[in-house]
Amino acid sequence: MASLLSNTKNLWRKSVKPKDSSHSHPHMQASTQTDSSASPSDPITIAVIGCGQRGKAYTKYALSSPDRCKVVAIAEPRPKTQKHFADLHKVDQTLVFTTWRDLHAASAETISTVGRRLADAVIIAVQDQQHLTVALAFAEQGYHILCEKPMATRLEDCIKMEMAVKKAGIIFGMGHVLRYSPYNKDITDIVRSGALGELINVVHVEPVGYYHFAHSYVRGNWSTEKDSSFSLMTKSCHDIDILCHWFSPLKPARVSSFGSLQHFRKSGKPTAAGNATRCLDCPVEKDCPYSAKKLYLDPVSHGNTGWPVETIVDGLPDIENVTDALKNGPYGKCVYESDNDVCDHQVVNMEFSNGTTASFTMVAYSSVICERQTRMHFSHGEIVGNMHTFTVTDFRKHTSKVHRPNSEGGGHGGGDTGLIRAFVEAVRTGRQEELGTSVEEVLNSHLTVFAAETSRKEGRVIDCGAFETEAREKVSTELSSREQ
């Protein structure tokens, strides 16, 4: 480790020049001295922690706009994934780490001996239950943070993250990508303009997609609450966030929710499947819409190696490694024999502080994949959209106009690109406002999601104000007991 850190410091002196962070919280200044060789026009430097799907999605911007940002360090445990990512971004091997703790240790060494961090910012794209630990560690070192959704898997931990971000005085971005797509930004502009009067009600549907849900929430990383979190949080927290965003500055006052795991359980298994527990051994595989062979193996045999098959192996998918994954890993298991326990459908009802309302539905069983459907009802008009186009009707003018925003390409209708672009600009200028949100607002939408899940489990309407007060008191008590 000592040799590695020495090499890291030498490379840092040569090529990694984080920008001046003089806008940071005063207590961080000792470790953020200005590098006289750095220029305001230099690209923002980024360390990526977790080089999977989300890490790759956010850093496409570094490849398309190298004058704006540059990946200079990574932490990724999977050897092939690590090498591919490092090669793609031309990351020097001395700044390639297997774990985030190794990267953090190297950063601590350069801060103590050189007085600067390894990069301007970190992207946290590890598994959900690690978000808090990683964010706290790098916030303490003064890194600006872009954290993939959700903040954390416990409300109390979300509050701790908020506290750490505010204490460090850093720029903080959250993977609520829906806010940043051209489609939703155009809708938000209309809402804010008041052109249609008061926003009174929104009906919003997230059709997850039958095979997407089977991949991610039955067989995949988000299939069990104990290993990740409940599906309303892991899949739809950015839907609740965009609803809160549209009604802002109002906050949800009361929330109720219903839902369950209805189909993806053993009782749903076809009788003809018998004792088969894996798709490759199942006599009715050809007739099953959730066949792992159809979802992963058949596409690879036709040369299709993108999502979702690229997520189930380390390195590039081929017939051999995908077959091995289906024979031995979770992605080859029968969806009715898997260990999943998260809801496959859920509804959420929200009442805001002035009596306006919103309803949200998340459902697995759809042919479209994540193409949200939204109806927005105003006092003088309505907006009806499907993530590609939306129609604005003005009751006063008796007119309707179809809008077709340019998605820019990329994930979430351009939201992935929009978020990382805004984050880089926020870091460059030292202005949290460039992200159009704050850590307090991020926490508020998470709190609403936790309130909804509490309602579903306990069968009661949740008073959001009281719910937040109780959670903050728990955190205060916990922190006080640690100090004693």
Side-chain angles (χ1 to χ4, degrees), residues 44 46 48 54-65 68-71 121-123 145-147 173-177 180 414-428 434-435:
I44 295 300
I46 296 173
V48 181
R54 300 311 298 155
K56 287 191 290 186
Y58 291 133
T59 53
K60 286 180 181 178
Y61 185 60
L63 299 174
S64 64
S65 301
R68 307 302 292 171
C69 65
K70 178 183 179 182
V71 175
V122 295
I123 293 176
I145 293 174
L146 174 59
C147 183
M174 172 53 51
H176 286 155
V177 291
Y180 300 93
D416 291 354
T417 302
L419 171 56
I420 185 63
R421 181 193 293 122
F423 177 72
V424 167
E425 184 64 11
V427 173
R428 188 186 70 81
E434 295 290 341
L435 280 157

Side-chain angles (χ1 to χ4, degrees), residues 302-417:
H302 292 94
N304 300 323
T305 58
W307 185 91
V309 69
E310 65 180 335
T311 67
I312 75 171
V313 296
D314 180 23
L316 296 176
D318 56 35
I319 294 294
E320 183 179 356
N321 62 17
V322 172
T323 299
D324 181 69
L326 299 192
K327 286 182 177 179
N328 301 297
Y331 292 97
K333 290 185 71 173
C334 170
V335 293
Y336 307 106
E337 296 281 356
S338 295
D339 300 325
N340 58 296
D341 61 11
V342 299
C343 288
D344 55 21
H345 70 115
Q346 190 165 351
V347 296
V348 179
N349 298 308
M350 304 161 60
E351 182 182 57
F352 290 83
S353 52
N354 69 340
T356 53
T357 56
S359 64
F360 169 68
T361 296
M362 177 199 74
V363 61
Y365 309 102
S366 65
S367 57
V368 295
I369 307 298
C370 302
E371 295 180 10
R372 277 89 172 167
Q373 297 144 24
T374 307
R375 300 187 69 94
M376 308 179 73
H377 307 283
F378 300 79
S379 57
H380 296 86
E382 68 179 356
I383 299 175
V384 179
N386 61 9
M387 274 192 78
H388 302 291
T389 66
F390 63 89
T391 301
V392 178
T393 300
D394 190 317
F395 300 156
R396 293 166 296 190
K397 298 178 182 178
H398 304 286
T399 59
S400 293
K401 182 179 179 181
V402 177
H403 295 249
R404 295 181 174 85
N406 181 4
S407 75
E408 299 184 290
H412 299 95
D416 291 354
T417 302

Side-chain angles (χ1 to χ4, degrees), residues 266-320:
K266 197 155 189 174
S267 60
K269 186 178 181 180
T271 304
N275 294 324
T277 60
R278 290 190 174 272
C279 294
L280 295 184
D281 303 322
C282 181
V284 296
E285 172 270 322
K286 291 183 179 180
D287 299 319
C288 180
Y290 307 107
S291 160
K293 182 177 181 295
K294 291 178 183 175
L295 184 55
Y296 307 111
L297 199 54
D298 290 353
V300 169
S301 68
H302 292 94
N304 300 323
T305 58
W307 185 91
V309 69
E310 65 180 335
T311 67
I312 75 171
V313 296
D314 180 23
L316 296 176
D318 56 35
I319 294 294
E320 183 179 356

Side-chain angles (χ1 to χ4, degrees), residues 149-165:
K149 68 173 178 66
M151 292 177 85
T153 56
R154 294 174 60 245
L155 176 54
E156 292 80 10
D157 289 343
C158 293
I159 293 172
K160 292 175 186 175
M161 189 181 294
E162 178 210 34
M163 295 170 65
V165 167

Side-chain angles (χ1 to χ4, degrees), residues 17-19 21 43-46 117-122 142-144 427:
K17 299 173 180 176
K19 287 188 177 297
S21 300
I44 295 300
T45 54
I46 296 173
R117 299 179 294 275
L118 292 176
D120 297 305
V122 295
Y143 284 88
H144 304 297
V427 173

